[in-house]
Amino acid sequence: MCQHQPPCPTADSPDRESARLVAHHPEQGWSLLCNRVVLFEDTGELLPDGRVIAPHRFATAV
């Protein structure tokens, strides 16, 4: 459970990506958030219950 004040959003919250970083591995392309969400460089996510959130970065104009 998160010990931060205010607490980090849960893995089921729409703002789950705003949880604090616990581990950051840019060389491998992923970060672990306090709510146990694994956030990937391509904006995909792996939730603690095994669900996968597809990458959702916005397309940029060239």
Side-chain angles (χ1 to χ4, degrees):
M1 197 91 192
C2 177
Q3 301 298 315
H4 299 114
Q5 292 300 324
C8 291
T10 67
D12 291 325
S13 296
D15 61 343
R16 66 180 152 260
E17 294 176 11
S18 64
R20 293 192 189 189
L21 283 174
V22 174
H24 182 60
H25 295 278
E27 72 283 357
Q28 296 176 359
W30 64 272
S31 298
L32 177 64
L33 303 179
C34 181
N35 55 9
R36 301 181 0 212
V37 170
V38 178
L39 180 62
F40 294 97
E41 184 177 90
D42 68 356
T43 69
E45 301 171 23
L46 179 60
L47 302 184
D49 63 5
R51 287 182 290 155
V52 174
I53 305 296
H56 50 276
R57 82 171 75 163
F58 295 102
T60 55
V62 183

